[in-house]
C-alpha cells in the first residue's frame, strides 16, 4: 500500500522559510516523479513544482520560481520542498503526489499525501 506523509508545515512571517518533507512507503521514488501542489480555500488545487531523476530534473510554477526548491532523496525515499521568501499568497494546504511521469495536472498523479498547512502572515 502506497503511503505519502507530508510534514514541515506551519506558520511563518512574510519573508520567512519553511521546508516541507514527503516520506513515501510502499513506493519507490527512484525513476519516478514527485509533485508538489497546493490548495487555498475556495480555489482549485494548483501545481507548484515537480522533481524527478533523483532531483536532476525540476520544474516550477512561475509563482514560485526562484523561491522554492524541490529535491528528492532516493536513499531515504523522500522528497522535499524548500520554500523561501514566503508571502501571504503562499498560504495554502500543500500536498505531495507521486506518479510515473511528471505532470502539472492533478490527474497525472495517482498517489497523494494528506497535506500539510502552510500559513504566512504577520
Amino acid at each position: 500500500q502506497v503511503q505519502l506523509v507530508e510534514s514541515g508545515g506551519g506558520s511563518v512571517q512574510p519573508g520567512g522559510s519553511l521546508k516541507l518533507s514527503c516520506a513515501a512507503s510502499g513506493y519507490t521514488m527512484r525513476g519516478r516523479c514527485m509533485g508538489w501542489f497546493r490548495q487555498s480555500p475556495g480555489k482549485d488545487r494548483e501545481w507548484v513544482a515537480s522533481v524527478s531523476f533523483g532531483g536532476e530534473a525540476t520544474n516550477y510554477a512561475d509563482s514560485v520560481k526562484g523561491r522554492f526548491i524541490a529535491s528528492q532523496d532516493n536513499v531515504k525515499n523522500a522528497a522535499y520542498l524548500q520554500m523561501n521568501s514566503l508571502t501571504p499568497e503562499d498560504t495554502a494546504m500543500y500536498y505531495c503526489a507521486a506518479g510515473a511521469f511528471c505532470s502539472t495536472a492533478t490527474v497525472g498523479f495517482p498517489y497523494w499525501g494528506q497535506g500539510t498547512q502552510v500559513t504566512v502572515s504577520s
Side-chain angles (χ1 to χ4, degrees):
Q1 182 178 356
V2 177
Q3 188 174 19
L4 303 178
V5 179
E6 300 100 333
S7 60
S11 295
V12 65
Q13 293 186 340
S17 299
L18 283 174
K19 185 174 183 178
L20 306 183
S21 299
C22 176
S25 59
Y27 185 85
T28 300
M29 290 187 183
R30 188 183 299 276
R32 296 173 177 170
C33 186
M34 298 300 297
W36 289 95
F37 291 76
R38 66 186 181 187
Q39 187 168 22
S40 302
K43 294 186 178 181
D44 293 336
R45 190 169 299 189
E46 65 170 346
W47 170 74
V48 174
S50 58
V51 56
S52 60
F53 296 105
E56 294 182 3
T58 55
N59 284 290
Y60 302 94
D62 288 344
S63 59
V64 307
K65 196 173 295 183
R67 299 188 299 123
F68 289 13
I69 302 172
S71 60
Q72 189 178 26
D73 187 329
N74 288 334
V75 175
K76 295 183 178 180
N77 216 32
Y80 307 95
L81 186 66
Q82 175 68 47
M83 305 185 297
N84 302 317
S85 302
L86 286 162
T87 73
E89 289 68 37
D90 295 315
T91 295
M93 184 72 78
Y94 282 73
Y95 299 88
C96 68
F101 304 101
C102 285
S103 172
T104 60
T106 57
V107 296
F109 294 90
Y111 305 110
W112 290 82
Q114 83 290 348
T116 185
Q117 178 67 38
V118 171
T119 302
V120 185
S121 71
S122 54

